[in-house]
Amino acid sequence: GSLGFIINNKDFINDESEFLVCYSDNLTNINLTEMINSHLNNDFTMGLFESPNPLTCGIVKIDDDFNIISFIEKPNKTHSNLANAGIYIISKNIIFDLDNKSSGSLDISHHLIPHLIGNNKIKGYKIKNILLDIGTLNNYYLSNDILIKNSSLFNNILNEK
């Protein structure tokens, strides 16, 4: 799983205080600098987006300060459409605290996030930009249409130096 991969490769992040995880099946033009700046004094920051189909996503409940107070992966019924975007900033100490756990099939959504809620400072960052999960064929085609018709939306990424 995604968490097992990180634990098994923790030497790669050994000299960092925090690191970024971005699932590769998203089309986004998120401003990562803003998200990183929002992470200050947090242990874990999760990118969030408003899902048009929340039953297919991990759904969070947040308080007024964007602290994540609950998380349910693909719920049967939902209280919100605020969903896990698969973009995280994680403080290294959290991964090293998990060092004693088995690392093979551990997943961020199923194992890490539930463990952190109530035990660590876990915040949400609402993505104001485009975020589309391209893990389905329909969304993959939609992402191509978005890129063709709206390439200027990605100029901030393409022109960064």
Side-chain angles (χ1 to χ4, degrees):
S2 54
L3 180 58
F5 179 82
I6 293 168
I7 292 171
N8 287 330
N9 291 284
K10 67 181 183 212
D11 290 343
F12 185 74
I13 59 168
N14 201 32
D15 295 332
E16 307 297 330
S17 57
E18 59 269 325
F19 59 96
L20 179 67
V21 174
C22 297
Y23 289 179
S24 61
D25 61 349
N26 288 327
L27 171 68
T28 186
N29 65 342
I30 183 175
N31 184 327
L32 289 172
T33 301
E34 284 182 11
M35 184 174 175
I36 290 166
N37 290 338
S38 78
H39 177 73
L40 298 174
N41 301 315
N42 298 323
D43 295 316
F44 185 95
T45 301
M46 177 192 303
L48 304 173
F49 74 106
E50 292 183 7
S51 173
N53 190 1
L55 298 179
T56 64
C57 305
I59 299 297
V60 300
K61 185 175 182 183
I62 58 172
D63 66 15
D64 293 338
D65 295 320
F66 275 81
N67 293 302
I68 296 175
I69 54 177
S70 72
F71 175 80
I72 301 172
E73 183 66 31
K74 296 182 177 88
N76 293 328
K77 63 180 188 172
T78 183
H79 57 275
S80 167
N81 70 339
L82 205 52
N84 177 0
I87 302 173
Y88 313 107
I89 302 169
I90 306 172
S91 295
K92 175 181 75 173
N93 62 309
I94 289 173
I95 300 304
F96 282 76
D97 289 347
L98 294 172
D99 199 19
N100 59 350
K101 294 192 182 244
S102 146
S103 57
S105 63
L106 295 177
D107 184 76
I108 291 173
S109 293
H110 292 285
H111 301 101
L112 181 60
I113 295 169
H115 169 76
L116 295 177
I117 293 174
N119 297 316
N120 295 80
K121 188 146 181 167
I122 175 170
K123 287 265 199 179
Y125 173 81
K126 190 168 179 189
I127 296 170
K128 304 172 204 99
N129 307 74
I130 293 173
L131 187 117
L132 177 65
D133 179 344
I134 57 173
T136 66
L137 193 54
N138 285 343
N139 280 358
Y140 175 75
Y141 290 136
L142 178 59
S143 70
N144 281 291
D145 288 342
I146 290 170
L147 286 169
I148 290 167
K149 295 175 184 169
N150 303 292
S151 63
S152 64
L153 293 172
F154 297 89
N155 284 344
N156 64 325
I157 295 169
L158 298 173
N159 294 328
E160 285 183 3
K161 296 180 175 145

